[in-house]
Each structure stands twice: as structure tokens, then as C-alpha cells.
Amino acid sequence: MALDDYVWAAGVATELVNTTAEVWRGDDRLPDPAALVAFAKLHGDGPGHEGGPGALSALARRGGAAELRAVHALRTAVRDLIDHPERERLVAGGTALTSPARGATLVPGPAHGNRARWAVPLREGATIADALSLICGIGVLGVVHTLGERRFRSCGAPTCKGAFIDTTRPGSRRYCMPGLCGNRLNVANHRARRAAPRAPRPGDGPEP
Ligand SMILES: [Zn+2]
């Protein structure tokens, strides 16, 4: 896990916390080990990330029911950090999440030139829950370090129970799943406007 990859790591943490039944109205998006493999493949297998392409889903394939339970527990722990974003809490919680790592080292840069990157490798025998824990920990610590604790927020859509870590440059992200929650809100607003035309209030001028 390269330490400068915290934007990707925070993205994985966001995706993970938004798989819960709470967010999906009773429909847990990580119900079984196969779903965990699919999650690892979709979010964790990009080039240059932990262990190289395919490494995370390969770990997930080795995991069973116990690993799935550990990932569910991790999900709850990360959500708890996002929901209570005090700096000391985030630092302590993020640090605890990185416990599956070995000591810091240098790995070749993505271009495999002379440039090296700071990294913390997983310890031998680490599970998919360990790997995701390390990723979430680096995501949390990296964002606190670089962007600050105001980047840990709840989804802005009134009907959504999701949360996210905002790694956008201006820090203006509003939704946990921008495509879905932004549209959900637009649809809700549109319906509300059609269903209940605004009654004129005292002080309203004549319509132009
Ligand atoms: Zn949302």
C-alpha cells in the first residue's frame, strides 16, 4: 500500500461503508464471499495499487465466511470514524486500522523509474479483511493529513443514509454516490414541485 495513494484508498473506504443494508434499505451489498470478491475486483484491482493488478480480488477469493464477518466489522468501524470526524479520533482510528501492515519501506514508483514511493506492505498471511483495513486506514490518515477532518461527511441527499470521504480538490462533494444520490434528489425535488405548487405568500410580488 503506497502512502501517496490515499485518494484511491479513501475511495475504497467510501465504497465499503456504502455497501451496508442501512444504506441500501435492507439490501446488504456484501451478503456473501462472492460479493466480496466482486467488490475487491471492482474497487481494488487497479494498476499500481496494493500488490499489483488482481492482488486484492485474489486475496478475497481465499477468504470465507470469517473474512466476510471481519469485513462487515471493518465497515462498521470505518463508518463510525466518518460519522464522528474529530481529528484525534480519526488519527487514532486510522492508526488502528493500519495494524495489519509491516514497517514502512520504499517501493518502485508506478513508472518503475528511479523514483520510489513510501509504502507500508501487508504482513505475511494477511487476509482480505486485513488488506481492506490497511487501505481504509491509509485513506483516513492520508485525508486528515492532506485535506483535513472536514472531508468526512454524510450524504447530502435527504433520503440517503450514506457517508463519504471527500477527496475532490475544492472539497465540494455532496453525495455518497454522486450519480445515484444527486439524481435521487433531483427526482424527489421534481416530484415535490409537481405535486405541490408553491402557495403564494404574503409579500410575494406579482408574477412577472
Ligand atoms: Zn447518498
Side-chain angles (χ1 to χ4, degrees), residues 155 157 160 162 175-177 181 184:
C155 183
C160 181
Y175 305 115
C176 67
M177 289 165 275
C181 298
R184 195 145 67 185

Side-chain angles (χ1 to χ4, degrees), residues 35 52 56 67 84 90 101 112 122-123 151 153-155 171 198:
L56 206 63
E67 265 69 63
H84 304 93
L90 289 168
H112 296 286
L122 277 169
R123 62 166 182 252
R151 298 304 190 95
R153 294 202 292 272
S154 316
C155 183
R198 191 171 71 88

Side-chain angles (χ1 to χ4, degrees), residues 113-134:
N114 286 328
R115 295 203 48 179
R117 309 166 86 187
W118 284 110
V120 283
L122 277 169
R123 62 166 182 252
E124 289 296 320
T127 64
I128 179 64
D130 292 331
L132 287 171
S133 181
L134 174 57

